[in-house]
Amino acid sequence: MHPHIEFSHILNELSVNRNDPCEVIREIISNAYDAAASKILYAPLEEESGFLFFDNGVGLSSDEAINGVTPYEAFFSIGKSTKKKGESIGYKCQGAKLCFAATRILVITRSAKEADWRAIRIENPRQVLNVSYDITPEHTQEPWNVLRSFFATTSSSTASVLSEFGADFFKKSFKTGTLIVIHGLDTENYSKSFLSGDQPEGSYIYNYIRFSTRHGDVRSIDESQGFNANHTLQVKLRDIRQASLKIFSNQAWFDVPFGFPYLEKPTTITDIKSPAQIARLRDGRFFARGAKSFTLGSGKYSIVFAIDGNRRAHEDYIHLDRKGSARSGVRLADQRGVFIAVNGIKVCRYSDIFKSPVLESYMILGEKDNSSHYTMIINGEFDLVTNRNSLSGKSYGILASNDFTQQIQKFLDYFKNNDPAFNELLSRLKKESTESKLTEQIDDLKQSKSQIKSRERLRITHSSGESPSEEIFMCPIPGEEYLVGVLYANLYNFVPKDHPLKKFWKKVLTFSTQGIDSLGLKDLESDAPLKEQNLISIEYKYSFDNSGPFNHALAIVDYIVAWNVNLQDGEKVKDEYSCFGTVSRDPEFGWSISDIENDEGGSYQQKRVHVISLRELIEKSLTVKFHRP
């Protein structure tokens, strides 16, 4: 008997915990639920840097092949599964491979109608498993002895775990099912992630199971959490299986409740102020619940929206980390906002749902820290990519479709119109966002006004009427390419027509924030000044040098006007469009870029780009004084 592994390197890649160390727990819990388990046990093995996991499901049968592979073979195989798409999160049969990121693994299993248990030990599974490796198990009537022999030595903590899995356990509780023992798990921070500690409720593993696994099914809602009978009738599936899951801690078994941990309905709800009544929204303890299921095509989906004000969430999620306070290691901020779930398992964040034009009126929910007041979970049979932590392109397509977002809109519209807390929250968020943006603009304006006093400026003396007059202008600073253009266009009118450098001042006709910055006139005296042949393209820069490629095509630009220019005779200038040219000093003024061609040998020999230092041109064309306060 051999694994069905098409590429051995894939196993090496898959058996690495890439997103979270406890992904392996998520996957084997999913497998346990898929196997119809009613009892799941998890016991950390601290000395061995591993764990023991048991479920009393149907076991890994080696008799009946489904989809060309038996469940036992599928456990060790890549791309072979006995599950069907849509049945579970793990239909690709890849999640269990995280178990093989270990130095040793023991699997004991038993299926219905089998008199014996079957067991297999594998040393260095990630390195040795391939299509040639023999995975034929040994049959045993004393699996408790096989379990103990897997441990060369045992510490007191490991011995206390093994005492729970003696002959009595196997004979009474392990009639069918699978037991997995992992040694030397290849993971970072084993102690922080996998140990349950003296208070399991405050451990990472406990909270990870509740928030991120099939045992924390997001569809499990009830009236104690504030959902009404209609919500539960739509979302809570009648055939949803609920297993008993226990963690071994302090030589005793500790229950992990089933279902996603939505906060309970407040007992003194009359004392909770609504979003409109509180001075600061982040101090809110308001509360609201909404839920709906809908069908779209052949897909079935549900939405659960749980509003708990920021302060209430901080106070009642007592074991979750928050800014400045480390607790279980599971962060409160990572559980707030919009999420996608697949068959009940919360998979990934998806605040982009509010970027849809259909949901424009709810866009405020996706801004900045606004997610701290709610959790919204969209559940469905979405396809996942290989690592099961993000959605496939097809799934994103469904979520972005008008049909889907219109269903979300209908739900949110109904929720807003029928729940005062949600309606007030939206109004308050929009008001504070508007005020915040206005305040930000006011502060920016104040800062600009205060800084302008210390900026370099220039004073131009020119003839106006009978006596000379003086005009003041500000010098550009980095990022103010637009001001370079304004000065170039404005000061054109100050330069006498007979000045020898007047030909380097071009009359500007347009300004644009996209594409070419300006169009100007090549010859003001032309009989048809607006003919295409008389129009030139102008680009503005604060500084222009040869430190990187020019961001416009040299083949279409006529003038580059920069406040400062730093070029050398003979050097090459490249653009971002495969063209390059040679710099030469203009004998009259400035520089030019000529001999322009592209990487493929195409030539633009008639093309010449004029490069002008505006600061230098002003100094040489006008009576000017530059000074700084």
Side-chain angles (χ1 to χ4, degrees), residues 159-382:
S160 66
V161 172
L162 294 180
S163 67
E164 298 292 316
F165 295 88
D168 192 54
F169 167 81
F170 279 90
K171 292 176 181 179
K172 293 182 178 180
S173 300
F174 195 168
K175 295 181 179 180
T176 64
T178 302
L179 185 147
I180 302 170
V181 184
I182 300 293
H183 274 202
L185 190 65
D186 182 10
T187 185
E188 295 180 4
N189 244 327
Y190 167 82
S191 297
K192 179 181 178 181
S193 301
F194 290 89
L195 297 184
S196 51
D198 295 335
Q199 295 181 324
E201 282 182 317
S203 68
Y204 185 88
I205 184 67
Y206 174 94
N207 286 282
Y208 180 86
I209 290 171
R210 293 223 63 195
F211 282 97
S212 302
T213 74
R214 179 81 167 267
H215 193 66
D217 197 312
V218 302
R219 299 166 296 184
S220 179
I221 60 176
D222 57 52
E223 295 184 25
S224 69
Q225 298 162 333
F227 296 98
N228 62 38
N230 185 42
H231 296 153
T232 57
L233 184 63
Q234 289 191 63
V235 174
K236 192 171 185 178
L237 304 181
R238 294 180 181 178
D239 60 348
I240 204 169
R241 287 194 300 272
Q242 180 174 336
S244 165
L245 194 155
K246 299 177 183 290
I247 289 177
F248 193 70
S249 176
N250 259 354
Q251 301 186 34
W253 291 105
F254 189 89
D255 282 308
V256 181
F258 177 79
F260 190 82
Y262 302 107
L263 292 180
E264 297 289 305
K265 182 178 180 179
T267 55
T268 55
I269 199 166
T270 54
D271 297 330
I272 296 178
K273 295 180 179 179
S274 72
Q277 295 173 319
I278 52 180
R280 298 188 308 175
L281 200 56
R282 67 173 181 264
D283 293 332
R285 295 180 176 84
F286 45 84
F287 162 91
R289 295 289 185 263
K292 172 189 175 180
S293 66
F294 63 92
T295 300
L296 192 63
S298 60
K300 296 180 180 179
Y301 306 93
S302 65
I303 311 167
V304 177
F305 205 125
I307 294 177
D308 297 287
N310 179 74
R311 179 57 53 195
R312 182 168 193 266
H314 274 70
E315 291 175 349
D316 289 7
Y317 282 119
I318 59 175
H319 298 300
L320 301 190
D321 293 8
R322 62 284 323 268
K323 189 175 181 180
S325 176
R327 302 184 184 187
S328 66
V330 176
R331 297 176 65 241
L332 175 60
D334 291 341
Q335 312 307 325
R336 310 293 280 163
V338 183
F339 298 90
I340 302 300
V342 179
N343 295 306
I345 303 174
K346 182 168 70 67
V347 173
C348 60
R349 188 183 294 276
Y350 189 65
S351 56
D352 283 358
I353 191 75
F354 294 123
K355 292 182 180 179
S356 167
V358 175
L359 298 175
E360 183 178 1
S361 59
Y362 299 100
M363 191 181 300
I364 191 67
L365 292 171
E367 290 186 8
K368 294 184 179 180
D369 298 326
N370 294 346
S371 61
S372 66
H373 303 292
Y374 71 89
T375 296
M376 174 179 167
I377 303 178
I378 303 170
N379 180 78
E381 295 176 358
F382 296 103

Side-chain angles (χ1 to χ4, degrees), residues 389-573:
N389 295 314
S390 57
L391 304 175
S392 68
K394 178 182 177 182
S395 296
Y396 283 122
I398 293 172
L399 289 165
S401 69
N402 281 343
D403 289 343
F404 194 92
T405 50
Q406 284 169 2
Q407 289 290 340
I408 304 294
Q409 180 195 28
K410 288 179 183 178
F411 164 74
L412 293 175
D413 286 348
Y414 181 85
F415 194 19
K416 180 183 70 173
N417 293 331
N418 290 274
D419 193 292
F422 182 43
N423 191 6
E424 289 182 19
L425 175 61
L426 284 171
S427 299
R428 185 71 182 268
L429 288 174
K430 289 177 181 178
K431 178 182 177 182
E432 293 193 358
S433 177
T434 302
E435 290 177 351
S436 175
K437 290 175 181 176
L438 177 59
T439 300
E440 187 177 331
Q441 290 192 11
I442 292 172
D443 290 343
D444 287 345
L445 179 59
K446 286 181 179 178
Q447 186 176 15
S448 296
K449 287 181 177 179
S450 64
Q451 289 178 344
I452 205 165
K453 298 175 184 178
S454 60
R455 283 178 54 171
E456 184 181 25
R457 72 284 305 264
L458 58 94
R459 291 181 180 274
I460 295 175
T461 303
H462 66 100
S463 297
S464 177
E466 297 180 357
S467 60
S469 62
E470 193 175 66
E471 299 277 354
I472 185 171
F473 297 92
M474 303 308 299
C475 293
I477 59 175
E480 290 187 341
E481 287 84 1
Y482 196 82
L483 180 55
V484 174
V486 170
L487 284 175
Y488 184 68
N490 200 348
L491 298 184
Y492 162 86
N493 299 298
F494 286 63
V495 182
K497 291 183 179 180
D498 57 354
H499 196 284
L501 296 181
K502 181 67 174 181
K503 63 181 177 181
F504 294 101
W505 291 90
K506 300 299 179 183
K507 183 174 180 59
V508 175
L509 299 177
T510 66
F511 278 97
S512 175
T513 58
Q514 296 180 349
I516 294 297
D517 290 338
S518 284
L519 293 179
L521 296 181
K522 181 190 299 184
D523 182 6
L524 189 63
E525 305 300 328
S526 171
D527 293 335
L530 299 184
K531 286 185 68 173
E532 186 175 343
Q533 294 87 338
N534 197 44
L535 298 177
I536 58 172
S537 56
I538 308 172
E539 276 299 306
Y540 306 114
K541 298 288 181 186
Y542 173 75
S543 62
F544 184 76
D545 55 34
N546 200 22
S547 60
F550 181 50
N551 65 334
H552 288 273
L554 291 170
I556 66 169
V557 175
D558 296 305
Y559 270 71
I560 298 173
V561 179
W563 187 245
N564 297 306
V565 176
N566 182 17
L567 293 173
Q568 300 295 325
D569 244 347
E571 68 180 347
K572 301 291 184 182
V573 172

